[in-house]
Amino acid sequence: MNSEVLEFVTYCISKLAGQLNIPQSEVYKRLKESGILYGYIVPSYDVLHTFGSRYLMDDLTDYMKKKGVLPQ
């Protein structure tokens, strides 16, 4: 993972933590254990990083709900 992708992942985790009101470490754990981090965010960086912040957070939280990481 290059520095741009790492910076984007850090940004996503930070924004999700603020939006969901849970610690960043918990967001990281949920994303990693569900496969979202390395199965979706990292490989889709080229597309995801072009999204606006609000759309990106909506996309990620919807996906987390689909994967059972967040309650519906």
Side-chain angles (χ1 to χ4, degrees):
M1 180 181 335
N2 67 35
S3 62
E4 290 175 350
V5 176
L6 180 59
E7 187 176 316
F8 178 71
V9 167
T10 303
Y11 171 80
C12 290
I13 291 170
S14 175
K15 291 291 282 186
L16 283 168
Q19 182 172 322
L20 301 172
N21 199 29
I22 58 177
Q24 291 181 16
S25 59
E26 181 63 24
V27 172
Y28 172 75
K29 178 182 168 192
R30 292 181 189 193
L31 293 174
K32 186 177 178 193
E33 290 177 356
S34 67
I36 295 171
L37 182 59
Y38 294 106
Y40 180 60
I41 297 174
V42 171
S44 302
Y45 165 78
D46 288 341
V47 174
L48 293 177
H49 88 280
T50 66
F51 294 169
S53 181
R54 180 173 293 174
Y55 184 86
L56 177 62
M57 292 303 106
D58 288 347
D59 181 65
L60 292 175
T61 54
D62 286 348
Y63 195 53
M64 290 172 81
K65 289 175 183 176
K66 288 179 188 172
K67 294 284 272 183
V69 178
L70 294 176
Q72 296 285 344

